[in-house]
Amino acid sequence: MKVIRLREGKERSLLRRHPWIFESAVARGGGDAGETVRVEGGDGRFLAWAAFSPASRIRARAWSFDEGERIEPAFFARRVRDAIALRGRLAIASDGLRLVHGESDGLPGLIVDRYGDTLVAQFLSAGVERWKKVLADALLAATGLSRLYERSDANSRGLEGLQPATGWLRGEGPTELAIREHDWRFGVDIAHGHKTGFYLDQRDNRERFAQWLRRGDGRAKVLNCFCYTGGFTVAALAAGAAHVTSIDSSGPALERARANVALNGLDASRAEFVDADVNVMLRRYIEEGRAFDAIVLDPPKLAPTAAHAERAARAYKDLNRLALKLLAPGGLLFTYSCSGGIAPDLFHKIVASAGADAGVDGAIAERVGAAPDHPMTLAFPEGEYLKGLVVVRK
Ligand code: SAH
């Protein structure tokens, strides 16, 4: 059995059941990539069983804080079953859902999304990479499904010293799928789409957006910035928006957004798609004196970690300042940050200061987060990555 010994005083976060052990906390010891190690405090007492990751700044990720636990196939089967059981207790209005959300489900580095009868998984840490076959079997056994596609091509795999890996891990089938979310249908490309193909975390916020628009006088002019495959676009059109302008810098995403409008039988003449940089278009619309009744701002992760927070904060502020300027009086801003490095209260401050710079005041009507199949846990606050505000302009 391999052991890592922590530096004196570095056991505190593990005692609080936070699963990460940073390189700087390790005094000695190690193992192979993904190998299970016993983590001991400076005084030699047991702290956790963890997966060692020699290349990563997060040098080990804890599997369990129970000394009696054995890290073996039955352990992974249990963790997978528990994660899926939790989803069974959530009211998820979709057949596309997140079944395993990494650290929050006690499986650090593992993401599993279900689209209908197909599973798509990302193995993003040395630990889950080592147990990949066992996890794949556990996932199929727990769901009764037979198809699992791997999308381990996220950048974070590089930080773990792992090469990208994609393709069918179990079974095979089409990689262009369709899911039903709320009353809508969305095409999902699990082989080429972002992440595992779809932004499932915004599910409830898309519905919330439609509800807000329905409560208005209908006929809204909507701007959907960073539209990806048109989730908020479909929500807006279905809620009766008069016109929706959707901007994204990805051609394939826009093509799929168009297809999703058609898939839902919505009037394509009310939808305009713009292949451009949002930063450029917002400035152009301001010059042109345009105004919108509702704006969605859902940029990509601008601050992957707290170290990027300051530069990202400026970028978020700029986007929000421009959007607030484009909002008609009484208009709605749905603004989000999916950066783990930007805490909710910081995001609130950023949007407040964007309002001050834009000379625009508004009421924060709602503070929102990710859909509940992307849970956060008490021990792992980093799990709270997506936050949003619903602002009503005065
Ligand atoms: N709201 C979407 C998810 C947005 S993901 C949904 O509900 O599905 C972020 C999107 O921003 C991606 O599609 C990416 O292609 C796009 N993007 C990133 N940088 C951009 C930029 N500068 N201008 C326009 N789009 C950008």
Side-chain angles (χ1 to χ4, degrees), residues 317-342:
K317 181 177 160 186
D318 207 40
L319 282 168
N320 281 278
R321 178 178 62 80
L322 298 170
L324 283 163
K325 280 188 175 222
L326 282 167
L327 214 52
L332 292 171
L333 175 65
F334 277 60
T335 181
Y336 303 97
S337 160
C338 60
S339 295
I342 304 270

Side-chain angles (χ1 to χ4, degrees), residues 194 199 206 226-228 232 248-250 276-279 298 300:
H194 295 174
Y199 289 86
R206 289 187 278 265
F226 310 97
C227 69
Y228 187 50
F232 285 94
D248 203 282
S249 56
S250 156
D277 182 337
V278 165
N279 297 280
D298 186 20

Side-chain angles (χ1 to χ4, degrees), residues 109-112 121-126 128-133 135-136 139 148-153 157 162-163 169:
L110 180 65
I111 299 294
V112 183
Q122 297 181 302
F123 296 84
L124 303 177
S125 65
V128 291
E129 175 73 11
R130 188 159 177 132
W131 290 96
K132 192 184 278 182
K133 287 195 175 75
L135 284 162
L139 284 160
L148 171 62
Y149 193 84
E150 178 175 17
R151 275 298 303 275
S152 302
D153 54 352
R157 242 176 100 90
L162 302 169
Q163 297 297 317
L169 212 55

